[in-house]
Amino acid sequence: MTSPISRGFRRRRPDAGAAARLPPGQYETRDFPVLAAGPTPHTPLAQWSFTLGARGATSATWSWEEFEALPHETVTRDIHCVTKWSKFDTVWTGVSVDTIIAAGAEKGVTPAPFIEAVCDGGYTTNLPLADVTGGKAWVAVGYDNKPLHPEHGGPARLLVPHLYFWKSAKWVREIRFRDRDEPGFWEGLGYHMRGDPWKEQRYTGDA
C-alpha cells in the first residue's frame, strides 16, 4: 500500500478522557504531522480562485477577495489521520460548505449526490454530499488563528473532520458535483471510498 510522506510526529499515551475520543487504532499526538504525496504548491493569492459546479453545467467561481468576503466560521474539532495519529481540539477558520453551496445556488449551481474535491497538484478525493453538508465540512483558510500554512494545505483546504484526514484535501480549488461516487487519488490506490475513522474504514474492503 502506497503511503504519504510524514514528518513532525510524536506519540502521546492517552489518559482516560482522551482515550474515549480516540477512534479504534488511533493514538494522540500534540504535533501536527505534515503529510504529502508530492511537492507543496505555492499559488499566489492574486492567481487563486475557487470554483463550485459540475462538468458541462453551470459553475460559480470566486477570487480570493470574493471568497474571503463570504461568511467565515471558527470551529474546534478533533482530527484523525489514516496513518493512525489523532490531534484534539484543532482550531480552524473557514467558509462552511453549506455557505458555499448556498452562494452557488444564487448563481444557478445545482448540487448532486456526490462531490469531487479538486486541488492544486492534481490531487482529488471523493465524498458523498451528505458528508460535507449539514455543518460537517468547511473550506478552511486559517489554522490556530493564523493563515493556513502551505504545508498544511494553505491557502485553502477542505476540512471534513469526522472522516479520516486524507478526505480533508489540501490546496483545494474546486468542488465538483457528481451523480456517482467515483474514486479520487488515494481511493484509486486502495483507500476506502468513505473513510469513517470510528469504523476503521482505511482501505478497500474494510466494513
Side-chain angles (χ1 to χ4, degrees):
M1 182 66 61
T2 304
S3 297
I5 299 166
S6 177
R7 59 186 182 275
F9 171 77
R10 290 178 298 183
R11 294 191 188 191
R12 179 174 181 269
R13 188 178 299 276
D15 57 28
R21 298 166 66 179
L22 283 173
Q26 298 290 114
Y27 35 76
E28 183 190 1
T29 181
R30 293 289 179 89
D31 300 312
F32 194 165
V34 175
L35 294 95
T40 298
H42 293 271
T43 302
L45 295 183
Q47 298 174 17
W48 187 92
S49 62
F50 186 84
T51 299
L52 177 73
R55 288 177 179 168
T58 300
S59 63
T61 300
W62 295 268
S63 67
W64 177 258
E65 291 78 11
E66 292 167 336
F67 194 81
E68 283 286 86
L70 294 173
H72 284 45
E73 303 175 6
T74 297
V75 297
T76 302
R77 296 290 187 275
D78 298 345
I79 56 176
H80 311 287
C81 183
V82 72
T83 59
K84 299 189 176 182
W85 59 262
S86 292
K87 184 172 176 63
F88 297 153
D89 298 321
T90 61
V91 180
W92 304 84
T93 301
V95 181
S96 167
V97 173
D98 296 301
T99 296
I100 296 169
I101 290 174
E106 295 177 357
K107 300 183 179 186
V109 179
T110 302
F114 300 95
I115 71 159
E116 177 187 33
V118 182
C119 309
D120 282 334
Y123 181 83
T124 61
T125 194
N126 58 296
L127 290 146
L129 185 65
D131 274 319
V132 296
T133 53
K136 299 186 188 78
W138 297 261
V139 172
V141 297
Y143 174 75
D144 201 19
N145 299 309
K146 299 176 183 176
L148 186 58
H149 193 278
E151 283 196 336
H152 289 303
R157 76 177 296 159
L158 192 61
L159 174 66
V160 192
H162 69 286
L163 299 179
Y164 281 125
F165 212 46
W166 92 79
K167 293 291 187 177
S168 295
K170 294 181 179 181
W171 314 300
V172 68
R173 295 290 297 275
E174 182 177 358
I175 289 177
R176 186 177 294 163
F177 291 119
R178 290 187 172 275
D179 292 324
R180 298 183 300 168
D181 195 15
E182 301 181 17
F185 178 84
W186 286 115
E187 296 82 9
L189 292 173
Y191 280 72
H192 199 275
M193 288 289 281
R194 183 160 183 262
D196 184 338
W198 294 96
K199 297 180 179 179
E200 287 198 273
Q201 293 176 336
R202 301 178 190 276
Y203 306 116
T204 300
D206 291 341

